[in-house]
Amino acid sequence: MQDPFNQDSRPRKRSNILLRIDSWIDSTIWNAGFWSGETWEEITIFFRRFRMRGVWKAVFEVSGEAMNLGTAGFVLMLALALPAFEETAGNWSAQDDFAVTFLDRYGNEIGHRGIIHEDSAPVDQLPDHLVKAVLATEDRRFFDHFGIDFLGLVRAMTENARAGGVVQGGSTITQQLAKNLFLTQNRTLWRKMQEAVLAIWLEQKFTKNQIIELYLNRVYFGAGAYGVEAASQRYFGKPAKQVKIAEAAMLAGLVKSPSRLAPSRNPNGAERRAQTVLGAMVDAGFITETMAKTALVAPAHAVKPAGAGSVNYIADWIMDVLDDLVGRVEQDLVIETSIDSNLQAAAEKAVVDELALKGVKFDVQQGAMVAMTPDGSIRALIGGRNYAESQYN
């Protein structure tokens, strides 16, 4: 039997050990709390030396809040825009950088769509006034910002508020290039945030000259012309390095609304827009008033293409069904058609002559024609009187 009065019993020793552990924990926690309080008081006393009063206090508080909000906003924007960087994986520079060439039944080229590599123009070979015409209308501070122009954005918002509508855009050339390379044309907050982040990324990856060169060789100028070289050939029948100031102003003016302002279908609208561009170039200090007046006296005029351009109706029709037939186009294609170029030219002439002869009498302004073989092969297709005037088939 155990002696209840025995002080050396084993349970008593265990109890003493537990009490010591509890005492050590309590003292440690108390000492840590005491040390923390002393440290916090010393920190508080130290920072009281920097306490601001009056106007400076308000300035520092507002600045601090702005920094907090800015940091939070940047982190949020970066997190939401991360999916956009998936588009930069792999050979992103070749995305949509393809051409589709159309051949007739005899193997003769009758048209093309997309970006032709041979049409690319190095920026150092372009006239200085052509580059500055684009900068004057699209991004005057291009060489001063890092991809996003906050001053330009504020200016655009101010002008839009005064006009009661959208008269100026706040997107930089780098942002437009990011949109053309990676994104869709949807105008949503999600896409704008992705566009901003990708613009900063492009600015870090390329020089300013490389960015403007990529932009000028990819932007759409209307009438199926992608890039400044193709547009110059299409509208003026000459290489881009030979365009004059008036022609440069007209080309730069097309970027805003290429389909509506194309000089081949809206010469008056294109000329009015070119006048606005010349004024912008003077305001930006890119040209003198004398140079602008000289250009206004001799405005640019688009050359009239030979024929009615009816093969473009064929090209448009094929492009509409191409994805369904071969899937997404990711490389240059050469498409052989059943079109007979001789019959196509004869059909085009027949439609134009018939409308000229009887159009006024019967109050008819448009006509169309399809010539087919018994097996269903299309030999000629005319979708309208003149493709440059109306692309509606």
Side-chain angles (χ1 to χ4, degrees):
M1 177 180 293
Q2 185 178 7
D3 183 0
F5 300 102
N6 187 358
Q7 300 298 320
D8 297 329
S9 63
R10 189 171 298 174
R12 181 65 175 177
K13 291 181 179 180
R14 291 178 182 175
S15 178
N16 289 338
I17 293 174
L18 293 177
L19 287 174
R20 290 173 183 173
I21 293 174
D22 180 66
S23 176
W24 177 82
I25 294 174
D26 289 343
S27 62
T28 301
I29 294 175
W30 187 88
N31 288 331
F34 179 79
W35 179 84
S36 299
E38 290 289 325
T39 303
W40 178 254
E41 185 175 356
E42 291 177 2
I43 293 174
T44 303
I45 294 172
F46 175 77
F47 278 104
R48 283 175 182 171
R49 304 174 185 176
F50 304 99
R51 180 172 295 178
M52 297 293 175
R53 299 182 183 278
V55 176
W56 283 110
K57 180 179 180 181
V59 170
F60 276 95
E61 287 185 354
V62 171
S63 300
E65 291 299 326
M67 291 178 63
N68 291 335
L69 293 175
T71 302
F74 178 78
V75 172
L76 176 62
M77 182 179 68
L78 185 61
L80 293 176
L82 281 177
F85 285 110
E86 295 178 1
E87 299 294 335
T88 66
N91 188 18
W92 62 267
S93 61
Q95 293 179 2
D96 294 334
D97 190 9
F98 59 84
V100 179
T101 303
F102 307 100
L103 306 179
D104 67 7
R105 62 184 303 213
Y106 303 111
N108 301 312
E109 183 178 334
I110 58 175
H112 70 266
R113 286 290 184 270
I115 299 174
I116 304 296
H117 291 282
E118 289 77 6
D119 289 343
S120 298
V123 68
D124 57 358
Q125 295 182 14
L126 296 175
D128 186 59
H129 53 256
L130 175 56
V131 177
K132 287 182 176 179
V134 175
L135 295 179
T137 56
E138 298 300 315
D139 190 358
R140 296 187 189 183
R141 288 172 37 82
F142 173 71
F143 288 99
D144 298 323
H145 61 65
F146 56 92
I148 303 174
D149 184 9
F150 291 105
L151 293 178
L153 183 61
V154 172
R155 182 178 64 249
M157 294 174 62
T158 302
E159 293 297 327
N160 293 337
R162 290 177 179 175
V166 179
V167 295
Q168 283 190 17
S171 294
T172 64
I173 282 178
T174 315
Q175 287 177 268
Q176 294 179 46
L177 178 61
K179 178 180 64 179
N180 292 337
L181 286 175
F182 304 113
L183 305 174
T184 66
Q185 301 297 319
N186 296 330
R187 295 189 175 187
T188 62
L189 178 60
W190 170 266
R191 190 195 62 75
K192 291 297 292 183
M193 294 174 68
Q194 292 179 323
E195 177 186 291
V197 174
L198 288 171
I200 298 174
W201 179 79
L202 285 172
E203 289 277 346
Q204 301 302 315
K205 188 174 182 63
F206 298 103
T207 65
K208 288 290 187 178
N209 284 342
Q210 289 174 324
I211 291 174
I212 192 66
E213 182 174 309
L214 282 169
Y215 177 80
L216 290 174
N217 284 315
R218 291 172 179 269
V219 69
Y220 185 55
F221 287 91
Y226 287 87
V228 67
E229 181 65 25
S232 181
Q233 295 284 0
R234 170 66 181 83
Y235 296 125
F236 307 124
K238 64 171 78 171
K241 63 183 179 181
Q242 295 180 5
V243 298
K244 300 178 181 179
I245 292 180
E247 296 165 335
M250 182 169 285
L251 288 175
L254 298 179
V255 176
K256 179 181 180 181
S257 183
S259 298
R260 181 175 63 86
L261 296 174
S264 55
R265 61 177 304 185
N266 185 7
N268 293 332
E271 185 174 342
R272 288 193 297 270
R273 177 61 179 163
Q275 294 172 0
T276 302
V277 174
L278 289 171
M281 294 177 72
V282 173
D283 292 340
F286 293 154
I287 61 174
T288 64
E289 291 188 5
T290 302
M291 296 168 69
K293 290 179 180 178
T294 302
L296 290 172
V297 172
H301 296 286
V303 297
K304 188 175 182 180
S310 61
V311 292
N312 288 289
Y313 293 113
I314 300 170
D316 288 349
W317 174 47
I318 294 175
M319 292 300 293
D320 286 341
V321 301
L322 190 59
D323 286 349
D324 295 333
L325 296 176
V326 302
R328 181 178 177 180
V329 179
E330 297 180 346
Q331 60 183 356
D332 290 352
L333 292 181
V334 177
I335 297 178
E336 298 177 357
T337 71
S338 60
I339 298 295
D340 187 314
S341 295
N342 295 326
L343 288 178
Q344 179 72 18
E348 181 181 291
K349 185 176 184 303
V351 170
V352 172
D353 290 348
E354 192 70 11
L355 287 172
L357 181 64
K358 300 178 181 179
V360 176
K361 179 180 178 180
F362 294 102
D363 192 24
V364 176
Q365 299 180 352
Q366 286 290 358
M369 178 188 294
V370 178
M372 303 173 61
T373 60
D375 65 356
S377 297
I378 297 178
R379 295 288 185 251
L381 185 151
I382 312 299
R385 184 174 199 161
N386 190 298
Y387 183 84
E389 296 176 357
S390 174
Q391 287 82 54
Y392 179 74
N393 188 344

